[in-house]
Amino acid sequence: MASVRGARPDAIGGVVPAEVVEPATADEVAEVLRSTRGSVVPVGAGTKTGWAAPPSACDVLLRTTGLDRIVEHEPGDLVAVAEAGVTLDAFQRRLAEHGQMLALDPPEEGATLGGIVGANASGPRRLRYGTVRDLLIGVTVVLADGTTARSGGKVVKNVAGYDLGKLYTGAHGGLGVVVSTSWRLHPLPKAAGAVVLPVGDAEAAGRLAAAVARSTLTPTAVELSFVAGGRGELVVLFESIEASVRAQSATALALLGGGEERAEVPDWFGRRPEGPLVVRLAYAPAALPDVLAALPDGASGTASACTGVAYAALPGEADLDALRAAITPYDGSAVVLAARGPLDAAAHWGPVADSFGLMTRVKDQFDPARRLSPGRLLGGL
């Protein structure tokens, strides 16, 4: 039976749950969903609860941190299976014993694998290795009616017509509870080195990032730290064998027209910005200068400069509607990750996308009673 802690200050976006449960097995998760009739909001360690809109209701807050077992690791196949509550740090430590890693590096300390899937969290290494959807090869979920379904690697039973791994990535628990994950792994790099150079403005940031993107270099990450106007610092990280790191670093120095070789990346590398209002920006990668120019005075943050993703801390009084309108021509979006006060779904996510009708039909298929994470997704789904 799932342990029950009763009500306590585990508020999600200001919504206090009536009770909190911490199942220790997938069967206990299924029991919770079968035995309750009200709303259920699944979370992992709670490191990214601000990444979705506040729920419209939360009768039960279901923490998956009790599902904390690494089930299987096949080093020869570069595959591992772990329950949703395993922390990324613990997973990486186990894999490192065999010279391997999961090539995901979101910075939130204590984040669980299930929470990373639910929030679709990533870090600088997304440039070389991709994101959750590229590395997650299988998933086991408990649906709203308590049914367990599996898809992908280590398949026992598939749900015909859906790729569950991709559906559940970024679903914030709105389609079911992720209880187990299967991952494609990579070898730990033998060596690493970075080229670091100052950037004068937004145009220079875009020009330098484009030069790297169009070259034959294979960096692990190209990260920019910026303030309003685009001034900042660019880091090009290489991870490979020693000879390759040295050769690519030398090529990058010549390509970029300057910079400094360093054994370590700067302290800001890979961290999220902090402030009264933090947003995740997505846009066409070539539009980096335009997006930086659209940010309000006082903004700062980091950008994965070759992938079209940035994280910005904005002044609390920033006009989000104006920012969204300014970056729309560049296929841009701005989603709130942190704010001082609760925001409704429209303010959190921004304009509803053309795909909303499809999203609604998927929600209706997996959660027809709208019990799971109600109101947390785009359009208040």
Side-chain angles (χ1 to χ4, degrees):
M1 182 68 182
S3 63
V4 178
R5 296 212 308 264
R8 46 162 281 184
D10 291 84
I12 301 294
V15 179
V16 178
E19 63 177 325
V20 180
V21 298
E22 293 179 301
T25 67
D27 288 342
E28 290 188 358
V29 173
E31 181 184 350
V32 169
L33 292 172
R34 283 195 298 267
S35 63
T36 57
R37 291 293 177 267
S39 56
V40 178
V41 178
V43 298
T47 61
K48 298 176 287 298
T49 55
W51 288 32
S56 57
C58 183
D59 295 310
V60 177
L61 181 68
L62 191 157
R63 290 199 177 277
T64 60
T65 45
L67 302 160
D68 59 357
R69 289 164 287 272
I70 298 175
V71 178
E72 185 177 353
H73 178 204
E74 295 288 349
D77 295 334
L78 289 167
V79 170
V81 181
E83 292 183 332
V86 174
T87 66
L88 178 61
D89 288 343
F91 197 44
Q92 300 286 33
R93 286 195 298 272
R94 175 72 71 83
L95 300 177
E97 295 172 3
H98 300 272
Q100 297 180 353
M101 66 176 182
L102 174 61
L104 287 173
D105 55 349
E108 288 75 25
E109 186 176 355
T112 63
L113 297 177
I116 289 169
V117 172
N120 190 18
S122 61
R125 283 187 169 89
R126 62 178 293 142
L127 174 64
R128 179 166 182 177
Y129 297 102
T131 62
V132 170
R133 287 188 173 96
D134 301 296
L135 300 173
L136 184 67
I137 60 174
V139 66
T140 301
V141 300
V142 178
L143 304 178
D145 62 359
T147 302
T148 299
R150 301 177 177 87
S151 175
K154 308 297 177 184
V155 168
V156 176
K157 176 184 177 183
N158 275 317
V159 175
Y162 292 104
D163 184 333
L164 291 185
K166 288 183 170 56
L167 271 182
Y168 280 77
T169 299
H172 294 280
L175 301 177
V177 183
V178 174
V179 294
S180 183
T181 55
S182 303
W183 299 94
R184 180 164 68 98
L185 309 177
H186 288 82
L188 281 168
K190 301 291 186 184
V195 170
V196 182
L197 70 160
V199 175
D201 55 33
E203 290 298 329
R207 175 174 48 79
L208 294 170
V212 176
R214 293 167 182 163
S215 73
T216 58
L217 296 171
T218 56
T220 298
V222 180
E223 291 286 296
L224 173 72
S225 173
F226 62 83
V227 296
R231 180 172 52 83
E233 190 172 57
L234 189 72
V235 172
V236 185
L237 174 65
F238 298 104
E239 293 180 324
S240 183
I241 61 174
E242 183 69 34
S244 176
V245 170
R246 287 200 305 270
Q248 293 205 69
S249 296
T251 301
L253 288 170
L255 177 72
L256 299 174
E260 175 187 356
E261 285 188 70
R262 295 187 189 176
E264 303 288 340
V265 295
D267 290 341
W268 58 262
F269 183 93
R271 295 185 179 180
R272 313 275 191 225
E274 297 180 357
L277 181 61
V278 179
V279 296
R280 179 185 186 275
L281 303 161
Y283 47 88
L288 175 63
D290 304 289
V291 172
L292 293 177
L295 293 172
D297 292 341
S300 62
T302 60
S304 294
C306 294
T307 63
V309 173
Y311 299 86
L314 310 178
E317 68 278 11
D319 187 339
L320 268 179
D321 291 338
L323 174 60
R324 284 165 172 154
I327 65 177
T328 293
Y330 312 109
D331 198 22
S333 62
V335 175
V336 174
L337 303 187
R340 284 184 173 167
L343 300 174
D344 61 24
H348 183 95
W349 294 104
V352 173
D354 294 340
S355 59
F356 183 68
L358 176 60
M359 293 173 60
T360 302
R361 292 194 291 276
V362 171
K363 176 73 170 175
D364 289 342
Q365 285 283 319
F366 283 84
D367 182 24
R370 306 290 177 92
R371 296 179 59 206
L372 298 175
S373 296
R376 302 210 77 195
L377 301 179
L378 184 70
L381 279 179

